[in-house]
Amino acid sequence: MHRLVYIPKQDSSKPYSFPRPKSIPISFKRPNNMAFTNLMLYFLSFTLITINSTGTAQDHEHCYDTGNFTTNSSYGKNRDLMLSSLPSDVSKNGGFYNATTGQDPDKVYALSLCRGDSSPEICSTCLNKAVEAITTKCPNQKEAISWGADPPCIVRYANRSFYGKLELDPSNEGYNTANITSNLTQFDQIWESLLDRLVIKASSGSSRLKFATGEANLSLFSKIYALMQCTPDISKSNCDFCLRQSVAAFQNCCHGKQGGFVQRPSCIFRWDLYPFYGAVAENAPVPSPQPLTNTTGIYSDEKGSVVASGIVVVAVVSTIIFVSIVAFIFVLLRSKLKQDSRIKSDTEGADQIETAESLQFDFRTIRVATDNFSIANKLGEGGYGAVFKGRLPDGLQIAVKRLSRNSGQGGMEFKNEVLLLARLQHRNLVRLLGFCLEGNEMLIIYEFVAKSSLDNFIFDPIRGLLLDWEKRYKIIEGIARGMLYLHEDSRLKIIHRDLKASNILLDGNFNPKISDFGMAKLFKIDQSQGNTCRIAGTFGYMAPEYAMYGQFSIKSDVFSFGVLVLEIISGKKVTCFCNGEETENLLAYAWDSWKEGRALNLIDRTLRVGSCSDMIRCIHIGLLCVQENEVDRPTMASVVLMLSSCSLSLPVPSKPAFLMHSVTELDYSELNSKDNLEQFTANEASITELEPR
C-alpha cells in the first residue's frame, strides 16, 4: 500500500493554509434568472466557506513482479500497440475501454478508465500521460498499472485476464496535511453518511459508468465534497465492497485529515472540503475556489480556524444570504410555471399534450420550411403519415412527420412519440426538435439524418457495398448502446416494441439512430413485464411471447435486436431469406449453420475479406438474443459487454424461436386476460419505408 501526502499547489512549503478572503463590492439587482442565482451562490461560497488551496493526487505507477519480457519480443510489441491505441479508443467509448491483442502466450489484456466528470479532452490528456509514465517506469514488466494525474485516470495491462474481477491491491493513498479543527465526532457522522450514500449510488451505476459525486453540509458555511467510481466491468456487489474497503482504509490511515484519496485497480475514492470535481450529467458546473486577500478583518490563524470581526462582514454576509434566498425562491417559482406549460407526463396515461414554448412550432413556419409539403421534399411514408425534408429560416435542416388525417391510430402514436422523445437524449436516438398542433394538423419535427434508413443499405446489393464490416460493427454497437439507454440508463424505462432495420437511421458518418417511438411503452422502474391486447409491430422481429400472447418486456426488444444483428451480418431480410432456390426463415438457417459449424455461410459475401472472428462472434451474440425462452436471452447491458470485450466467453445458445405462427392460428384461450380477446388483431403491424432524411 502506497501513501502519498498531497500538498496545496499554491504553497508547497507548508500544509493547507487558509487565505484571507477580501471584501467584494456588490451591486444588487432584481433577480431574474438562474445565472443571477448561480452568481450569488458563487460569491457566497467565496465569502462564507473556509477556503482551501487546491490539493491534487500525484501520478503513480505500480510495476508488478509477475514476470518480465525482453525488448522487441512479441509481448512487448503487443503491449506497445495496445497502449498506443487506448487514448483514442477510450474517447470513442465514453471514458471506459478494455481489449486484448495477440495470441497466447504473448496475449496482452488492457483496460483504461477516465474519471466520470472528465471531458474528452482532459480524459485523452490524462491517458496519454499515464501511458507515457507506465511505459517509462515499467519498461519490461508484463503487468503494470498507472493512476494518472488529477482528475485521475486508470491505465493497466497484464498477461492475464482481469476483466470483471475485483482487485484491491495494489492501492495508492494520499491525504491533506491539515487537520479537522471542528467537532470531530459530529464531522465523522456527516462524513460517513455522505460516503454511504455515494457507495450505493456509484455501485448501482450502469455497465458503462459506475460513478457518483455528492456533498453534505457541515454548517451553513461549509460542505464536504466526495467522489466515487468503479471500473464498470465489476459487479454491483464488488463495486460496493471495493469502495467500502477504500473508505475503511482512509479511516485507518488518515482519520482527522481535511481530505484525501484512495486508488485501487477496481475503484477510486476522493473527498475534500472544496468542490474539486467538474460538472457531470445531472450536476451544474462548480467554480474552483481562488485565494482572496483580506481587507475586512477576516483572518486565518495557524490552525486554520477562521475568525470574523467587523460590522462590514456581517452586513455583507447577511445581504448575500437574503438576496440568494429571494433569488432561489424566484427561480423555483419560475421553473414551476415553465414546467407546467410543458408536455404532461404519460406515466399514468395522461391524454393531453399541453403547449410547450420551447418545443412547439408554428404551422406556417413548417409549411414554408417544407415548401408546402411538396412531393420533391417527401422522404417516405409510414403507417400513419408521410415524412418531409425541410429547412428552417436559420438554415437548420429538419425532418417533419405529418400525421395522416385518415389515420385512426395516429393520434395516440403521435402523443406517445412526443411525450417519450421529449425526455430522451442519446447519440444513438433520433433527436426530437419539436411538434406542431394546429387545427387538424399534427406534426413531429426531428433532426435531419443525412443517410437513409439501414434497410436501404443492408438489403441493397449495390448500396450494401458502402457498409464494410467496420461500419456494420459500429452500427451494431450503436444500436446496442441506444437500447441499453432506453432499458436502463435513462431516467425512464422504455420498451421500443418496433425495433427493425427501417427504424434505424444513419447519419453522415453511418452512426445509427433509433427512431419511430410510436409503439413504445413506458415501464415503471421496478416493472418487468407488460401485457397488451393490441399486438403492434413487425412480424419476424417480434418475440414469440409478444406475437402470440401479447407479453412484452426488455427481452422482447432483445429478440428484435438479435434479428437485426443477423440481418446486418447476412444482408438478408428475416422474412424473405433465400438459400439458393429455397426460401426459409433467416433464424432457422442461422441456427442450422451454427450447429453444423458452417456459420461463415451466413455472412454477406461482400464481407468475407480477412478475419471473420468478429463476425462469427456477432452471429453468436445474435443467436443468444433470439433464443425461444426469454429467460435465456441476455439483457442489453450484457450484450454491450459482449460486444466491447472480445475476451469475454459467451454461453452456448439454445434453439431460436424461428417457427413463427400467424396470429390467426393462435389459441385465444391462452391469452392472459379477457381484455386480450376483444381487440386482438393481425392488422396493426407498423410498416415504414423511408428514404434519406
Side-chain angles (χ1 to χ4, degrees):
M1 178 176 290
H2 304 269
R3 296 178 181 172
L4 301 179
V5 178
Y6 66 102
I7 305 297
K9 290 181 178 178
Q10 294 168 331
D11 188 353
S12 60
S13 64
K14 59 184 179 180
Y16 269 109
S17 62
F18 297 89
R20 300 175 180 177
K22 67 181 180 180
S23 61
I24 305 171
I26 304 173
S27 59
F28 298 100
K29 297 182 180 180
R30 179 176 180 268
N32 57 3
N33 53 36
M34 184 63 76
F36 180 83
T37 304
N38 289 339
L39 184 62
M40 289 297 97
L41 295 176
Y42 181 72
F43 283 157
L44 186 62
S45 67
F46 281 175
T47 307
L48 303 178
I49 296 176
T50 301
I51 307 281
N52 291 337
S53 304
T54 303
T56 179
Q58 302 172 356
D59 291 349
H60 180 74
E61 289 72 42
H62 177 83
C63 309
Y64 291 71
D65 57 359
T66 54
N68 297 334
F69 60 86
T70 58
T71 304
N72 294 325
S73 66
S74 295
Y75 186 89
K77 293 177 181 178
N78 289 337
R79 185 200 72 161
D80 293 342
L81 176 63
M82 176 64 72
L83 291 180
S84 66
S85 65
L86 282 181
S88 61
D89 288 333
V90 171
S91 63
K92 297 176 184 176
N93 289 275
F96 172 68
Y97 183 74
N98 75 287
T100 61
T101 187
Q103 301 294 327
D104 290 330
D106 299 314
K107 192 172 187 178
V108 177
Y109 301 81
L111 177 149
S112 52
L113 174 72
C114 283
R115 206 169 77 179
D117 60 328
S118 300
S119 67
E121 295 76 17
I122 293 176
C123 175
S124 179
T125 299
C126 182
L127 290 173
N128 279 308
K129 290 182 179 179
V131 168
E132 181 180 356
I134 202 173
T135 53
T136 300
K137 296 185 179 181
C138 309
N140 65 341
Q141 280 76 13
K142 284 192 173 183
E143 183 171 358
I145 184 170
S146 173
W147 293 277
D150 191 42
C153 55
I154 298 176
V155 171
R156 65 180 301 198
Y157 70 87
N159 61 340
R160 62 183 178 87
S161 176
F162 51 79
Y163 190 80
K165 298 178 181 179
L166 172 64
E167 298 196 6
L168 302 179
D169 293 318
S171 67
N172 175 32
E173 296 177 358
Y175 60 89
N176 184 327
T177 56
N179 295 321
I180 300 296
T181 58
S182 60
N183 185 321
L184 191 56
T185 301
Q186 182 181 11
F187 179 91
D188 286 344
Q189 291 176 349
I190 298 172
W191 186 81
E192 291 171 4
S193 176
L194 169 63
L195 298 187
D196 185 64
R197 294 200 312 269
L198 292 187
V199 167
I200 296 172
K201 183 178 179 182
S203 60
S204 299
S206 71
S207 61
R208 300 302 302 169
L209 183 66
K210 287 183 169 64
F211 175 78
T213 60
E215 56 193 56
N217 293 323
L218 285 174
S219 66
L220 179 61
F221 307 139
S222 57
K223 294 182 179 181
I224 304 173
Y225 300 85
L227 175 150
M228 292 183 170
Q229 184 169 11
C230 294
T231 58
D233 58 304
I234 64 174
S235 67
K236 177 180 178 180
S237 59
N238 282 342
C239 177
D240 184 284
F241 183 79
C242 185
L243 291 173
R244 294 190 188 278
Q245 288 295 307
S246 297
V247 172
F250 183 86
Q251 288 176 311
N252 290 334
C253 80
C254 319
H255 182 238
K257 297 299 182 180
Q258 285 193 2
F261 65 87
V262 177
Q263 298 172 336
R264 300 178 184 272
S266 294
C267 66
I268 59 174
F269 151 59
R270 183 180 173 187
W271 75 276
D272 227 306
L273 297 180
Y274 66 92
F276 59 88
Y277 44 79
V280 289
E282 68 274 15
N283 298 332
V286 181
S288 299
Q290 300 295 331
L292 304 174
T293 49
N294 173 57
T295 61
T296 66
I298 298 180
Y299 64 92
S300 301
D301 61 14
E302 293 180 354
K303 293 183 179 180
S305 60
V306 178
V307 182
S309 66
I311 300 176
V312 177
V313 176
V314 176
V316 170
V317 170
S318 301
T319 306
I320 290 176
I321 292 175
F322 173 77
V323 173
S324 300
I325 292 174
V326 172
F328 181 71
I329 293 174
F330 178 87
V331 172
L332 282 180
L333 291 174
R334 186 178 181 186
S335 175
K336 175 63 177 173
L337 290 174
K338 279 191 173 183
Q339 184 177 3
D340 288 344
S341 68
R342 292 185 179 275
I343 299 175
K344 284 186 176 180
S345 169
D346 66 334
T347 55
E348 296 180 358
D351 294 324
Q352 296 179 351
I353 298 177
E354 294 191 346
T355 301
E357 181 180 351
S358 61
L359 291 177
Q360 183 134 17
F361 280 80
D362 180 73
F363 179 73
R364 287 172 295 181
T365 301
I366 304 302
R367 185 168 58 188
V368 171
T370 58
D371 192 18
N372 199 22
F373 304 99
S374 66
I375 297 297
N377 285 328
K378 188 173 181 180
L379 299 175
E381 188 155 1
Y384 63 94
V387 179
F388 297 86
K389 179 181 178 180
R391 186 183 295 273
L392 296 176
D394 61 1
L396 179 66
Q397 286 188 306
I398 58 175
V400 181
K401 181 187 289 188
R402 188 184 193 188
L403 179 67
S404 172
R405 297 178 183 178
N406 297 324
S407 173
Q409 64 188 52
M412 181 182 64
E413 292 171 345
F414 173 88
K415 183 199 71 172
N416 198 48
E417 190 153 4
V418 170
L419 288 170
L420 291 180
L421 280 179
R423 291 177 286 173
L424 299 174
Q425 188 172 3
H426 189 273
R427 62 176 298 183
N428 296 118
L429 302 184
V430 66
R431 183 161 60 96
L432 175 76
L433 300 180
F435 67 95
C436 175
L437 282 173
E438 190 167 318
N440 293 325
E441 293 288 351
M442 288 196 232
L443 311 175
I444 306 179
I445 298 91
Y446 306 97
E447 64 174 322
F448 178 78
V449 184
K451 303 292 184 182
S452 60
S453 53
L454 177 62
D455 61 323
N456 288 324
F457 284 89
I458 59 175
F459 302 140
D460 187 301
I462 304 301
R463 301 181 76 184
L465 297 174
L466 298 175
L467 294 183
D468 56 21
W469 175 242
E470 182 179 358
K471 289 188 178 69
R472 296 195 193 201
Y473 193 78
K474 180 174 73 171
I475 289 170
I476 291 172
E477 282 191 308
I479 298 170
R481 285 194 295 268
M483 293 305 298
L484 175 60
Y485 174 79
L486 293 177
H487 289 177
E488 297 185 22
D489 292 346
S490 75
R491 53 182 176 162
L492 308 175
K493 184 176 182 180
I494 295 172
I495 313 302
H496 189 280
R497 291 207 303 163
D498 200 18
L499 186 66
K500 58 183 177 181
S502 60
N503 284 340
I504 305 298
L505 307 181
L506 303 175
D507 68 10
N509 295 318
F510 290 98
N511 294 308
K513 293 181 180 289
I514 302 170
S515 69
D516 202 341
F517 286 76
M519 303 294 182
K521 287 289 186 180
L522 180 64
F523 267 22
K524 297 178 181 178
I525 296 300
D526 58 350
Q527 185 178 355
S528 60
Q529 182 176 290
N531 294 278
T532 182
C533 57
R534 180 172 177 258
I535 307 301
T538 305
F539 289 110
Y541 292 93
M542 291 160 74
E545 70 274 6
Y546 177 55
M548 299 179 68
Y549 310 119
Q551 300 170 355
F552 60 93
S553 65
I554 59 173
K555 295 299 185 72
S556 52
D557 273 355
V558 170
F559 182 93
S560 302
F561 173 80
V563 174
L564 194 50
V565 168
L566 296 176
E567 286 187 330
I568 292 172
I569 295 173
S570 68
K572 303 296 184 182
K573 294 183 179 180
V574 64
T575 54
C576 302
F577 178 75
C578 297
N579 177 26
E581 297 181 354
E582 297 181 7
T583 299
E584 58 180 309
N585 185 282
L586 174 61
L587 304 189
Y589 181 76
W591 173 247
D592 291 340
S593 299
W594 177 267
K595 285 195 306 179
E596 297 168 9
R598 47 184 180 85
L600 286 176
N601 293 342
L602 185 67
I603 299 173
D604 191 332
R605 293 181 179 179
T606 63
L607 301 178
R608 297 180 190 179
V609 178
S611 174
C612 296
S613 58
D614 286 342
M615 305 179 203
I616 298 297
R617 184 175 178 84
C618 281
I619 293 174
H620 192 161
I621 294 171
L623 287 172
L624 289 173
C625 291
V626 297
Q627 293 177 99
E628 189 165 17
N629 189 342
E630 61 179 303
V631 177
D632 295 334
R633 299 172 207 152
T635 63
M636 289 309 306
S638 298
V639 169
V640 170
L641 193 59
M642 293 173 189
L643 291 170
S644 61
S645 175
C646 296
S647 61
L648 187 68
S649 61
L650 305 182
V652 177
S654 59
K655 178 183 176 183
F658 51 78
L659 299 176
M660 297 297 296
H661 302 284
S662 68
V663 176
T664 55
E665 295 172 347
L666 292 178
D667 180 0
Y668 286 93
S669 63
E670 294 179 349
L671 299 181
N672 290 333
S673 69
K674 295 180 180 179
D675 294 337
N676 288 345
L677 300 177
E678 298 176 3
Q679 301 177 24
F680 196 82
T681 174
N683 299 321
E684 294 179 321
S686 170
I687 302 174
T688 306
E689 300 293 340
L690 298 179
E691 289 301 319
R693 57 165 91 166

